[in-house]
Amino acid sequence: MQSLVPEFLTAVPDDLYDGLPLRYFLTPDGRFKLWHIGFDGTDDRGVVKPVGGKRSSSINMFDYLGDWVWQYTPVPETP
C-alpha cells in the first residue's frame, strides 16, 4: 500500500486493532484484497471466518471472527 502514497493517500491507514498498517494484497489478475485483523486480534491473511460457518449481514463481536475484508473484482470491459 505504500506505493499509493502520496499520489492517492497521504499515509497508509492503521489497523484499528493492532496499530499496524492495513493489509493489502494485489492478485495477478488485477484484483485486490484489503483487510484489518478484526475482533479476534489475529491476521488471518484476509480470510473471512463467520462463527458457525454462516455469513451474517452484521459484523459484530458476537457472531463474527476473522478479518474485516474489502475485495475488488474488476468490471469486465465492454466490447
Side-chain angles (χ1 to χ4, degrees), residues 28-54:
D29 64 354
R31 300 172 68 179
F32 78 77
K33 186 182 282 192
L34 175 69
W35 70 93
H36 72 82
I37 60 172
F39 293 121
D40 65 359
T42 302
D43 182 0
D44 297 304
R45 306 286 305 151
V47 173
V48 177
K49 297 189 312 185
V51 173
K54 297 185 299 182

Side-chain angles (χ1 to χ4, degrees), residues 6-70:
E7 186 174 352
F8 299 103
L9 298 170
T10 56
V12 175
D14 290 335
D15 189 298
L16 298 172
Y17 289 93
D18 67 1
L20 296 174
L22 287 179
R23 283 75 169 172
Y24 176 84
F25 179 76
L26 183 63
T27 65
D29 64 354
R31 300 172 68 179
F32 78 77
K33 186 182 282 192
L34 175 69
W35 70 93
H36 72 82
I37 60 172
F39 293 121
D40 65 359
T42 302
D43 182 0
D44 297 304
R45 306 286 305 151
V47 173
V48 177
K49 297 189 312 185
V51 173
K54 297 185 299 182
R55 287 190 177 265
S56 171
S57 60
S58 67
I59 295 178
N60 67 58
M61 60 190 285
F62 301 109
D63 65 2
Y64 183 85
L65 294 175
D67 297 339
W68 289 13
V69 180
W70 297 267

